[in-house]
Amino acid sequence: MEQSLATVTISTSGQGLTEFTGKVSAWLEETGIQDGLLTLFCRHTSASLTIQENADPDVQRDLETFFSRLVAEDPALYRHTAEGPDDMPAHIRSALTQTQLSIPVQNARMLLGTWQGVYLFEHRRAPHRRQVVLHLLGH
């Protein structure tokens, strides 16, 4: 068994989904590991990870709209308001989604479905630079 570890930085433009499938794919090819299990881990409490459709941008917009309805940005609802009205809702959205993904790898490629992509889901309004740790275990 071999393993490889790296961190990628994803720049966001504020709330929404940012696809970074290409960054992960490029790193997989560099590792030299052909088959295994890839783990992605988001190092933040106000952003998360998801695998979603990458063919129709309306999917991302609908997800963003749904989460904005599900978790309101109303400071009257929360105690933790020191970092702005979008901070506590961002923590809640992150808790409702995932900060870690596991994806099988074969022939140095993620075994994603035809229309699937890997996304960072930014839950804060301001642009951020987010770090995602990539760990591949395989041979």
Side-chain angles (χ1 to χ4, degrees):
M1 281 294 196
E2 298 176 58
Q3 62 180 327
S4 190
L5 186 69
T7 300
V8 295
T9 300
I10 294 109
S11 296
T12 71
S13 56
Q15 280 180 345
L17 289 114
T18 302
E19 185 174 7
F20 66 105
T21 311
K23 284 186 176 191
V24 177
S25 294
W27 176 77
L28 284 173
E29 289 183 23
E30 292 172 10
T31 68
I33 299 172
Q34 292 296 302
D35 302 315
L37 184 63
L38 171 66
T39 301
L40 297 90
F41 176 73
C42 180
R43 298 184 66 198
H44 305 278
T45 59
S46 56
S48 57
L49 300 172
T50 189
I51 295 173
Q52 265 309 321
E53 178 178 330
N54 62 3
D56 184 351
D58 282 343
V59 172
Q60 288 88 44
R61 286 190 212 103
D62 286 342
L63 281 168
E64 293 163 20
T65 300
F66 173 80
F67 273 90
S68 68
R69 288 184 194 142
L70 183 66
V71 185
E73 287 187 13
D74 179 355
L77 298 173
Y78 313 109
R79 290 184 195 119
H80 177 72
T81 59
E83 295 179 57
D86 68 328
D87 187 50
M88 192 58 219
H91 291 299
I92 294 169
R93 291 172 186 153
S94 182
L96 293 172
T97 53
Q98 301 175 75
T99 56
Q100 178 179 308
L101 300 173
S102 295
I103 304 171
V105 171
Q106 185 176 49
N107 297 324
R109 297 180 59 130
M110 290 178 281
L111 292 178
L112 295 171
T114 303
W115 308 114
Q116 289 183 320
V118 180
Y119 289 85
L120 180 109
F121 200 167
E122 176 63 64
H123 301 300
R124 298 293 305 265
R125 281 192 250 131
H128 283 81
R129 291 175 48 84
R130 302 298 195 172
Q131 292 183 335
V132 176
V133 176
L134 312 177
H135 179 249
L136 179 60
L137 182 62
H139 57 88

